[in-house]
């Protein structure tokens, strides 16, 4: 019988010795059975479970089989041919159509019904092993990530790897810091690219910087020391290159530039671009201008649907009026007394949200009960009791305690618990500003204002002014996005707190002029 041999090893951790071993066994098998070997097909460091098409020599073998020059493919084991039952059946059917069968050198399988069953069992075991191995690797990677170890992926500019940990690169880290400082100082991305080109700076891939380089850099939380792998986040899990305050200023400006690029390029700076919403239909209020008969230019915000789709009757609002009122309303609320009251109420609201809407209190109570039971059993041991049942029960309680602690960690990771100190710090940064200073007004709106929703009402104008409780509150939430099924905590008649959203909403009414 004319045959070909097919060999494969699945990972770079294996070596050519694996191929040599397969070749030796298969060759001896063919010699014993008087098979004539015409060719050898070899795939190195390729998986048999996924993407059979990536096994180039395997696919070439399938194509060559159609030429009818040989009668069988000899493999070391069936799992070398495929670890996926679908692929195994599919490609065996193609070979069978060409008059070629698959023979295992180490798994003698007859053509009897029993042999068919045995072959199916072996293929199923191969697929099970492959999936189990993948799960073990995934678990291992996750455990390594929880320790803050490097788990692959592209190395960010500014870092290198030492002993499986991220460390600062003394050459690249200053480049990253310089980019943040230049952008924070008002330089555009294009200007920074020109500066870096003149200095000969290059990315981690060794190529010149482009706009995308900075778009990703300026929102990469690794630069403030946050270790990230999949859903795992470890604050201060790696060395930081820039401080959090600088990072947040740069990230906020970077996000605004991409969210409302027209606002950044316009001759007139619409401070509420991307933050002002129509209370009637929920659409964005966009900046526009118009001229009077005398030639004077006026600037407005107008509902997108009213302007382009004519599906909303919201009136345009004067730019200066809404921006000045929003800035003044925010600034008037930033007093030490109100900041302290606000922080206290926000923390209390957050605690009540945890208490009333999560399983955390129940898990904590359950944990206390188990710990109490363990202490009681230890007292019995100290008094001399040493029965086998007692120690068995201690083991059960210890396992139960670990399970509750794991569930508690998972539950706490899913919620946001507000703390007083960062809230006070966040608002206190704006105490000494000058509301008449255009730059301070812009910064006040940029960082503190989350959204403004404006309504036309019979007796005047109403706005819902949402402020960020923390500097990490960067997602804009308009009134229509607030979940009516999870109402805010009413800590004070003047405002509503949404702990989960990390925002506070003030409703303000302006009578008809």
């Amino acid at each position: 019988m004319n045959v070909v041999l097919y060999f494969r090893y699945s990972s770079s951790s294996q070596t050519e010795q694996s191929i040599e071993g397969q070749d030796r066994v298969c060759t001896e098998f063919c010699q014993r059975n008087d098979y004539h070997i015409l060719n050898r097909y070899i795939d190195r460091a390729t998986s048999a479970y996924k993407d059979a098409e990536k096994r180039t020599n395997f696919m070439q073998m399938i194509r060559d089989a159609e030429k009818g020059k040989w009668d069988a493919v000899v493999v070391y084991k069936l799992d070398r041919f495929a670890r996926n039952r679908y692929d195994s059946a599919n490609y065996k059917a193609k070979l069978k159509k060409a008059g070629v069968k698959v023979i295992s050198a180490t798994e003698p399988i007859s053509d009897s019904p029993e042999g068919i069953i045995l072959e199916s069992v072996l293929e199923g075991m191969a697929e099970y092993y492959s999936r189990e191995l993948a799960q073990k690797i995934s678990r291992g990677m996750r455990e390594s990530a929880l320790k803050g170890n490097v788990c692959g992926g592209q190395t960010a500019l500014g870092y290198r790897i030492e002993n499986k940990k991220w460390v600062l690169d003394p050459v690249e880290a200053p480049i990253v810091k310089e980019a943040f400082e230049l952008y924070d100082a008002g330089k555009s991305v294009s200007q920074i690219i020109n500066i870096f080109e003149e200095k000969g700076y290059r990315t981690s891939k060794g190529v010149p910087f482009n706009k995308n380089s900075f778009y990703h850099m300026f929102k990469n939380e690794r630069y403030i020391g946050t270790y990230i792998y999949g859903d795992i986040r470890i604050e201060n899990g790696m060395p930081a290159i820039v401080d959090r305050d600088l990072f947040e200023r740069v990230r906020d400006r970077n996000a605004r530039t991409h969210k409302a690029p027209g606002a950044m390029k316009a001759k007139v700076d619409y401070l509420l671009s991307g933050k002002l919403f129509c209370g009637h239909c929920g659409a964005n209020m966009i900046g526009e201008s118009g001229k009077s008969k005398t030639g004077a230019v006026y600037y407005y915000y107008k509902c997108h649907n009213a302007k382009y789709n004519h599906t909303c009757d919201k009136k345009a609002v004067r730019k200066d009026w809404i921006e000045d009122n929003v800035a003044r309303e925010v600034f008037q609320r930033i007093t030490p007394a109100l900041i302290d009251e606000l922080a206290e109420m926000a923390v209390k609201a957050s605690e009540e949200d945890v208490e009333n809407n999560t399983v955390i209190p129940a898990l904590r109570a359950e944990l206390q009960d188990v710990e109490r039971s363990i202490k009681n059993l230890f007292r019995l041991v100290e008094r001399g009791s040493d029965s086998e049942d007692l120690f068995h029960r201690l083991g059960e309680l210890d396992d139960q305690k670990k399970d509750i602690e794991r569930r508690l960690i998972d539950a706490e990771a899913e919620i946001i618990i507000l703390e007083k100190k960062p809230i006070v710090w966040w608002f206190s940064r704006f105490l000494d500003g000058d509301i008449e200073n255009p730059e301070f007004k812009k910064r006040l709106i940029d960082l503190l204002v989350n959204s403004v929703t404006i309504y036309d009402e019979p007796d005047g104008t109403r706005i819902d002014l949402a402020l960020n409780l923390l500097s990490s509150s960067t997602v804009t939430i308009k009134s229509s996005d607030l979940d009516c099924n999870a109402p805010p905590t009413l800590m004070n008649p003047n405002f509503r707190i949404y702990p989960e959203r990390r925002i506070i909403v003030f409703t303000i009414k302006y009578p008809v002029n």
Side-chain angles (χ1 to χ4, degrees), residues 376-396:
N376 291 337
L377 289 180
F378 271 124
R379 290 194 187 99
L380 292 176
V381 173
E382 290 171 352
R383 293 172 185 169
S385 300
D386 59 354
S387 72
E388 187 175 335
D389 290 343
L390 187 149
F391 286 105
H392 178 70
R393 178 58 180 156
L394 268 175
E396 288 180 342

Side-chain angles (χ1 to χ4, degrees), residues 422-436:
I423 295 174
V424 171
W425 173 83
W426 173 236
F427 281 100
S428 297
R429 298 166 63 197
F430 303 91
L431 281 172
D432 300 324
D434 178 7
I435 193 63
E436 301 302 326

